[in-house]
Amino acid sequence: SRCRRKCLVVALLALPAAVPVSHAFTSTSGVGKRPYMCHQRSASQEDDPAIVAPAAAGDDDDASTIDPWVLRSVTFACLDGSPSSPDPQLLSDYLMEMGACSTAITDHDRDTSRESPIFREPGDDLEEEEWSTAKTASQNTKAALIRGDVAVGTNVWNRCDVTAHVPATVDIVRLAEGIRTAFELPSVPRYAVDEIPDVDWVVKVQSAWKPIVAHGFALRFPWHTEEDVAEAIDNALVDVDGEESIPYEDYATITLQGGIAFGTGEHPTTRLCLKFLKGILTSDEEETPKISKLLDYGSGSGVLGLAACSLSPHLTAVGVDIDADAVAIANANAEINGLPMTSYLPAQTVIDNGDAESASVMMRGAAANAVETLPSDLDGGECFDACAANILAGPLMGLASTLANMVRPGGQIGLSGILEAQAPKVVESYSEFFEDVQ
């Protein structure tokens, strides 16, 4: 790409490297059939108090009186990859085929001394072979394989729990026996059964999700009342970084309907970007150029562009996202708030040069004609005074030349979604096109 020096301030909004998290769960859809493998249960599992012996669930129920809409939770615990233990992911697929409403794989050793991560932390110096054969101080077993992002959906922990939600009409004893037969196990796997309470999860989530208050912005959702917003602001006596409290009337309030789009204001990276935007839009420094056109790249729900528009009445924003659903949601949020922001899919050149997965997502959205692609007059031409891009380190590095061609000389850009260990590589990528990268 063409190397150009521009007097641009690039702010890297990086987060400290997180403690390795190994207890996130993956869900399976049950699509596709694969051969079932034979696995053996280790002797150490027999003494694990977390394992519940098989119980004849439902023996006392009269089948004619069971409500088919009632759900039960059945958990097959401590699947460790031994010959008498079914493969967790194959078991998830099997349970879906047998009528489960959903399945989840979780770390059996979560929050214990045996817990180990399944993804390498950025900046770790261990080679792939060292990770795959690593031993931990607390266990004499091979650590979970660490394969990076390519392992999403394929990596599992040393010991897993597989939980399935099944209708109450399912004969769980027969289901467990079917697992023994299908996986050629020497005995029926042990499991625990729990009743699932009948809860209106929409109401429950809404009641627990309070308005988000950060850096002079109050982000509310459609079900929040004025009293909810006022209470959240009253509770924010000091902002997240120790800033002075802001009078209620000075808060910029935005209504968001997130849907499936990223961006509610709760994530630390979003808060970092809100702080960046507030800083550049309210700066009293004379040398700070006026910002009238903002680019929100990786816009998600449109929260950053909308926040900027709400803070500066003379500003217009353009959002770009690879997800057509997110673009539609961002445009709907702009209409709800009456703010001058329009979102698009990326230009065709970005689709052509992107990775295969991102290109597939973008092409499906473009083919559906649900949303528009970024117009040519906005693609390049250095037409934006500032940019906020809250994505991930990898995509941000690949977008360096694209963003350089979209932001005018002297403009400012804030990049977020970066861990501290990733920051040097991001700085290196942007230093080719920008000055004062920090």
Side-chain angles (χ1 to χ4, degrees), residues 190-349:
R190 300 182 177 190
Y191 58 87
V193 180
D194 292 307
E195 299 294 330
I196 299 177
D198 185 11
V199 176
D200 187 332
W201 289 104
V202 173
V203 173
K204 186 176 179 66
V205 169
Q206 289 180 352
S207 64
W209 207 324
K210 305 300 181 183
I212 306 298
V213 178
H215 306 295
F217 299 99
L219 310 179
R220 61 183 296 177
F221 304 97
W223 60 85
H224 288 144
T225 65
E226 293 296 334
E227 291 75 18
D228 293 331
V229 177
E231 180 182 358
I233 292 177
D234 288 341
N235 291 335
L237 298 178
V238 178
D239 212 348
V240 291
D241 289 325
E243 298 175 357
E244 294 295 328
S245 59
I246 303 170
Y248 177 86
E249 59 273 12
D250 291 341
Y251 273 85
T253 303
I254 305 163
T255 299
L256 291 175
Q257 178 62 61
I260 61 174
F262 179 88
T264 62
E266 191 173 35
H267 197 274
T269 59
T270 310
R271 290 175 177 265
L272 285 171
C273 285
L274 290 174
K275 183 178 181 180
F276 166 74
L277 290 173
K278 181 184 177 184
I280 64 174
L281 292 173
T282 61
S283 176
D284 294 329
E285 298 179 9
E286 293 183 1
E287 63 272 18
T288 302
K290 181 181 178 181
I291 297 172
S292 60
K293 199 166 189 177
L294 174 80
L295 174 63
D296 180 358
Y297 210 102
S299 52
S301 67
V303 57
L304 298 180
L306 294 174
C309 290
S310 69
L311 200 61
S312 178
H314 305 295
L315 183 145
T316 60
V318 171
V320 178
D321 202 287
I322 67 171
D323 184 353
D325 292 325
V327 172
I329 290 169
N331 286 330
N333 283 332
E335 184 176 355
I336 290 172
N337 289 276
L339 293 172
M341 177 178 180
T342 307
S343 295
Y344 304 93
L345 287 172
Q348 186 63 41
T349 53

Side-chain angles (χ1 to χ4, degrees), residues 9-15 272 276 396 413-420 422-428 430 436-438:
V9 175
V10 182
L12 266 65
L13 311 176
L15 291 174
L272 285 171
F276 166 74
L396 286 173
I413 180 171
L415 310 175
S416 192
I418 308 161
L419 296 176
E420 284 183 343
Q422 299 168 329
K425 290 186 177 180
V426 179
V427 169
E428 181 181 352
Y430 280 78
D436 195 17
V437 183
Q438 53 185 316

Side-chain angles (χ1 to χ4, degrees), residues 383-399:
C383 57
F384 293 97
D385 302 308
C387 170
N390 182 20
I391 317 178
L392 292 171
L396 286 173
M397 287 188 285
L399 287 167

Side-chain angles (χ1 to χ4, degrees), residues 21-282:
V21 176
S22 66
H23 55 259
F25 67 85
T26 58
S27 298
T28 66
S29 63
V31 295
K33 295 182 179 180
R34 294 176 286 182
Y36 294 101
M37 301 183 296
C38 178
H39 298 272
Q40 193 80 108
R41 180 179 298 279
S42 66
S44 62
Q45 262 184 272
E46 303 300 329
D47 299 325
D48 193 326
I51 301 176
V52 180
D59 285 353
D60 297 330
D61 291 330
D62 182 349
S64 64
T65 62
I66 295 177
D67 186 346
W69 298 108
V70 173
L71 293 178
R72 285 179 177 155
S73 171
V74 54
T75 299
F76 298 88
C78 202
L79 309 181
D80 62 358
S82 57
S84 65
S85 175
D87 177 272
Q89 300 203 62
L90 295 179
L91 177 58
S92 293
D93 284 351
Y94 178 87
L95 291 168
M96 292 297 292
E97 294 289 346
M98 293 297 104
C101 304
S102 65
T103 62
I105 304 174
T106 55
D107 184 4
H108 180 78
D109 296 316
R110 171 181 176 175
D111 298 330
T112 71
S113 60
R114 297 179 63 120
E115 181 179 14
S116 64
I118 62 172
F119 298 109
R120 177 189 288 119
E121 282 295 310
D124 202 301
D125 295 330
L126 285 180
E127 297 294 332
E128 191 81 15
E129 294 76 13
E130 293 180 83
W131 272 98
S132 63
T133 57
K135 298 289 194 297
T136 65
S138 60
Q139 63 185 102
N140 189 27
T141 57
K142 188 171 74 173
L145 293 176
I146 315 291
R147 304 177 188 170
D149 290 343
V150 296
V152 173
T154 61
N155 251 11
V156 293
W157 297 275
N158 290 319
R159 303 197 300 174
C160 298
D161 294 344
V162 174
T163 300
H165 289 174
V166 297
T169 51
V170 170
D171 186 333
I172 296 178
V173 174
R174 183 174 297 177
L175 176 66
E177 180 61 32
I179 293 172
R180 184 193 66 80
T181 302
F183 287 85
E184 302 178 4
L185 304 177
S187 62
V188 173
R190 300 182 177 190
Y191 58 87
V193 180
D194 292 307
E195 299 294 330
I196 299 177
D198 185 11
V199 176
D200 187 332
W201 289 104
V202 173
V203 173
K204 186 176 179 66
V205 169
Q206 289 180 352
S207 64
W209 207 324
K210 305 300 181 183
I212 306 298
V213 178
H215 306 295
F217 299 99
L219 310 179
R220 61 183 296 177
F221 304 97
W223 60 85
H224 288 144
T225 65
E226 293 296 334
E227 291 75 18
D228 293 331
V229 177
E231 180 182 358
I233 292 177
D234 288 341
N235 291 335
L237 298 178
V238 178
D239 212 348
V240 291
D241 289 325
E243 298 175 357
E244 294 295 328
S245 59
I246 303 170
Y248 177 86
E249 59 273 12
D250 291 341
Y251 273 85
T253 303
I254 305 163
T255 299
L256 291 175
Q257 178 62 61
I260 61 174
F262 179 88
T264 62
E266 191 173 35
H267 197 274
T269 59
T270 310
R271 290 175 177 265
L272 285 171
C273 285
L274 290 174
K275 183 178 181 180
F276 166 74
L277 290 173
K278 181 184 177 184
I280 64 174
L281 292 173
T282 61

